[in-house]
Amino acid sequence: MPSTEHNRLYDLSSLLFKQDPGLSRHATVNQVSLLATWAWLSHNSPELGLPKPGDGRGVTAALTAIEEVCFEPGVKLSYRADLLELECPGRVMQSLEEMTAKLFWPDLNALIRDLIDMAKDHSWRSRVETTLPIELASVMASLGNVEGRSLLATYPMSDVPMVLAEAATSRTLVMQKASPLAEALAIIGGAKRVQETPENTQLTADVVLSSPPWGTKSPANRDMNKGVGSSEGIALHDAWQQSRQRAVVLLAPHVLSRGKESLLREELVRANAIDMVIQLPERTLWHTAVAPVLVVLDHQRGADAPTLFVDANRLLAEDRQDPVPVWRRSHNDEFWEALTGLAESPEEGRGARFVSKAEIEKNAFDLSVKRYLIGEATQKVSNLENTRPLFDVAEIIRAQMLKSEEGDDGQRVIEVGGRDIDDTGFIRLQETPKEVVVSGRARNRAEQQRLYSGDILLIGKGSIGKVALVGDDCNDHWVAGQVFLIIRAKERDVVKPEYLYRYLASPLMQQYLEEIASGSGIPVLKANDIKTLPVPVTSIAEQERVIDVHRQIMEEYEAIKAHQDKIKQLSQQHWAI
């Protein structure tokens, strides 16, 4: 049930919003945060000598005084101290001050929770991410092991983890762009606020907590050409450089596997710096379905210390596919308690496994959690008997993009794409198929991607696992589009194409391919994973039994198509166009 102060914060924001309907909800949260900070300091830090709410000296005088006593000389609030008085008439200012005077929290955690709840609600309405869920921030603080250590929090959204890390000896919040909500949390947490400059990127502390923005372009002056890649990669690199003992960084999942950050991952693994990698569930954050990851770095690890990989999805109940965000689920507390317990006492168990540096190196420094925590399908595939790697029984050709190029030797080809695969797994070209004129080197490439009856097409990027069997209707001008891998059985008296197709299209293999895929927004099947994919090589008699089932499936699809055609025909009998 919401606290009294929680409701009073909403009353303050409603008054401001009513006064200026054009005011963004984000701005409302910021202004109310500063008023709440004033109320907290006036009750809990009387030695600062701040004006008290309701004593007649006003909001501007109070915020100016906060600037003077809580910030370094010359540092100002990101919002002008007199902004509210410039925007609101006297009667509204009087009401704001009277309402602020009634605010009181018994402890710091109660104030933080009410501020975050207010930010969460307004963030949900405005679709603007302003801060982290308090449960996630608490886990970050626990992972930091901050007791008796100095703390550096980088980026505005590292504010809540910072303020919850109460056991730190000192706290500093570094921000490139100031946020009043972050400022409020820094003030009430007794933290030093620093504006980011090229010079203070060299600031260091025992522990770094970092929640960088996702997907922003790296500043030109930070382009180190060291495989650091994106802004998230830079944040991970900086966290390692700026921490003396430990760092916790919240990242987008692609940083774990993408080529842009490959050299950085290799550097950290070789330095044995990575203590934990935690894959959080989808919808952990308020405004994205992308599943974030936590990377924990430690400077004091032993030479042979393993890395703990954690799939937090396995800490959820079986209804984890429920699209409701984690923080709204009924088992929310149980989940976060389990994750906090794992953060405080790392151990193998459900959804957690220690992995050696050698194993990570073997996986080309890919840090994707699902590479090291075997899924149900992966386990079943590993138990299959009489298997051989796919490259041993089939030729694998990765198709490339073909550009139309007119020339003396130009040839027109039909490029088969993902949209040309129907539900039955056969290729049915669109009414207007994609035609490409190839010449020169492109013609040679097209010849390599030419399709033959019995070829199997597998999508390796995006809609991974979608598979098709090329039929006898294939002509000399069909070529595979760049989304495909062409899988061509080497010896059809050893592995028949229809058998191999049915195996790849099976529910077991479809889930297996999903489990081994890399990437986040756009999943990718790595070449080596496809080459080494286990294929059970059974007797020809057993393969024929599988092919017989395949024919039955195709007959059922034909029956469905006949029913659909009949329905369409009947629907045209009356009021047809």
Side-chain angles (χ1 to χ4, degrees):
M1 185 174 178
S3 68
T4 302
E5 268 53 47
H6 178 280
N7 293 330
R8 284 173 175 165
L9 289 179
Y10 273 87
D11 291 341
L12 277 167
S13 63
S14 297
L15 178 60
L16 285 171
F17 199 69
K18 189 181 298 182
Q19 170 63 29
D20 184 1
L23 194 66
S24 73
R25 295 186 181 276
H26 180 53
T28 301
V29 169
N30 286 330
Q31 291 174 330
V32 172
S33 299
L34 293 176
L35 293 175
T37 301
W38 178 24
W40 171 262
L41 293 176
S42 67
H43 284 292
N44 294 278
S45 301
E47 71 278 4
L48 296 180
L50 299 176
K52 289 186 174 295
D55 69 0
R57 283 184 280 177
V59 174
T60 299
L63 296 184
T64 300
I66 288 174
E67 286 180 337
E68 293 173 352
V69 300
C70 296
F71 291 163
E72 298 292 312
V75 178
K76 301 289 185 182
L77 287 166
S78 52
Y79 275 24
R80 287 178 50 176
D82 61 352
L83 182 63
L84 279 175
E85 288 196 3
L86 291 173
E87 294 184 341
C88 302
R91 57 181 176 77
V92 173
M93 292 303 302
Q94 184 177 350
S95 296
L96 289 174
E97 191 168 348
E98 291 172 354
M99 294 165 71
T100 302
K102 295 178 182 179
L103 294 172
F104 175 77
W105 288 272
D107 55 60
L108 182 62
N109 284 337
L111 168 57
I112 294 169
R113 183 168 289 279
D114 282 345
L115 285 176
I116 300 311
D117 282 347
M118 177 183 65
K120 177 177 70 178
D121 182 71
H122 285 286
S123 175
W124 189 254
R125 294 170 185 269
S126 63
R127 312 299 295 178
V128 175
E129 202 90 56
T130 56
T131 191
L132 298 179
I134 194 167
E135 298 85 357
L136 173 57
S138 180
V139 169
M140 291 181 67
S142 296
L143 288 168
N145 295 346
V146 298
E147 185 173 1
R149 298 173 173 178
S150 60
L151 171 65
L152 183 65
T154 53
Y155 305 99
M157 284 182 59
S158 308
D159 52 3
V160 185
M162 172 210 66
V163 78
L164 292 176
E166 297 178 78
T169 55
S170 65
R171 290 175 280 184
T172 302
L173 177 63
V174 181
M175 298 187 295
Q176 183 180 39
K177 184 178 180 181
S179 157
L181 174 59
E183 288 173 334
L185 291 170
I187 292 168
I188 62 178
K192 179 181 178 181
R193 197 208 80 178
V194 175
Q195 196 73 21
E196 183 182 353
T197 65
E199 291 74 27
N200 63 33
T201 54
Q202 303 306 313
L203 288 173
T204 62
D206 297 328
V207 179
V208 169
L209 300 180
S210 178
S211 178
W214 291 3
T216 58
K217 188 176 181 181
S218 304
N221 63 338
R222 301 302 314 282
D223 185 7
M224 291 168 277
N225 296 315
K226 288 181 60 179
V228 173
S230 62
S231 56
E232 300 104 296
I234 287 177
L236 184 60
H237 175 272
D238 287 352
W240 176 243
Q241 295 295 322
Q242 293 179 281
S243 59
R244 292 190 290 268
Q245 297 182 19
R246 202 162 168 85
V248 183
V249 190
L250 182 70
L251 298 166
H254 58 240
V255 179
L256 301 182
S257 59
R258 194 170 60 177
K260 284 184 178 180
E261 292 84 14
S262 60
L263 293 180
L264 173 61
R265 292 195 303 272
E266 180 176 351
E267 176 187 338
L268 293 174
V269 171
R270 292 197 183 282
N272 207 26
I274 303 175
D275 194 50
M276 297 177 71
V277 180
I278 303 174
Q279 178 67 69
L280 295 164
E282 293 180 356
R283 302 180 186 274
T284 295
L285 301 178
W286 296 326
H287 291 320
T288 177
V290 175
V293 295
L294 286 168
V295 177
V296 183
L297 308 175
D298 197 309
H299 292 259
Q300 300 174 313
R301 286 161 47 83
D304 298 319
T307 297
L308 185 64
F309 284 82
V310 179
D311 182 1
N313 287 284
R314 303 191 190 186
L315 302 176
L316 296 174
E318 290 304 313
D319 64 342
R320 64 181 179 271
Q321 299 303 322
D322 183 349
V324 177
V326 170
W327 52 271
R328 281 191 172 181
R329 298 179 187 169
S330 59
H331 54 275
N332 183 13
D333 290 343
E334 181 183 351
F335 166 72
W336 289 112
E337 286 171 8
L339 187 55
T340 301
L342 191 60
E344 295 173 348
S345 302
E347 60 181 6
E348 283 195 329
R350 182 181 178 184
R353 176 177 170 243
F354 283 111
V355 178
S356 68
K357 180 165 69 172
E359 185 175 347
I360 298 174
E361 290 177 353
K362 184 179 177 181
N363 279 283
F365 304 99
D366 189 326
L367 298 176
S368 302
V369 170
K370 59 186 173 183
R371 286 208 159 261
Y372 306 100
L373 288 166
I374 298 176
E376 181 182 6
T378 304
Q379 183 65 54
K380 288 183 177 180
V381 169
S382 68
N383 292 332
L384 293 174
E385 297 179 350
N386 301 318
T387 62
R388 290 164 62 179
L390 182 60
F391 75 85
D392 199 25
V393 299
E395 182 182 1
I396 304 169
I397 303 165
R398 186 175 289 274
Q400 299 182 38
M401 184 174 65
L402 298 173
K403 292 183 178 180
S404 284
E405 296 179 1
E406 298 289 347
D408 295 337
D409 61 342
Q411 179 182 6
R412 191 175 300 275
V413 296
I414 294 174
E415 184 177 284
V416 177
R419 64 176 188 164
D420 296 312
I421 301 177
D422 67 9
D423 293 336
T424 70
F426 272 86
I427 296 171
R428 301 189 192 277
L429 295 178
Q430 301 291 309
E431 291 185 8
T432 308
K434 182 179 179 181
E435 293 187 348
V436 182
V437 177
V438 291
S439 63
R441 294 171 62 184
R443 181 168 178 170
N444 294 335
R445 188 180 303 146
E447 184 61 31
Q448 294 174 357
Q449 296 172 203
R450 179 181 168 186
L451 296 177
Y452 298 89
S453 176
D455 283 351
I456 297 167
L457 295 178
L458 176 69
I459 293 183
K461 183 176 182 180
S463 302
I464 57 167
K466 193 173 184 180
V467 62
L469 181 64
V470 179
D472 295 334
D473 57 344
C474 171
N475 65 46
D476 294 342
H477 301 298
W478 284 15
V479 298
Q482 66 173 330
V483 299
F484 290 118
L485 295 164
I486 305 169
I487 299 172
R488 184 173 296 149
K490 291 181 177 179
E491 299 177 67
R492 297 193 177 190
D493 58 345
V494 176
V495 174
K496 292 184 171 292
E498 297 88 350
Y499 168 81
L500 185 55
Y501 163 75
R502 184 47 56 192
Y503 174 64
L504 294 173
S506 68
L508 174 63
M509 284 310 299
Q510 289 295 298
Q511 184 174 331
Y512 174 77
L513 292 173
E514 183 179 330
E515 289 176 2
I516 66 171
S518 299
S520 51
I522 303 179
V524 176
L525 294 173
K526 291 191 173 181
N528 191 59
D529 291 334
I530 296 300
K531 286 173 58 179
T532 57
L533 188 147
V535 178
V537 180
T538 61
S539 67
I540 292 299
E542 178 61 28
Q543 291 186 40
E544 287 292 352
R545 283 191 283 272
V546 172
I547 293 171
D548 184 55
V549 172
H550 170 69
R551 293 192 186 103
Q552 293 178 46
I553 293 172
M554 292 301 102
E555 288 171 2
E556 292 299 326
Y557 274 124
E558 287 300 322
I560 291 171
K561 184 177 184 302
H563 283 301
Q564 290 174 333
D565 290 343
K566 182 65 174 178
I567 291 170
K568 185 181 293 186
Q569 180 184 355
L570 290 172
S571 68
Q572 293 291 325
Q573 289 187 7
H574 300 286
W575 302 288
I577 295 177

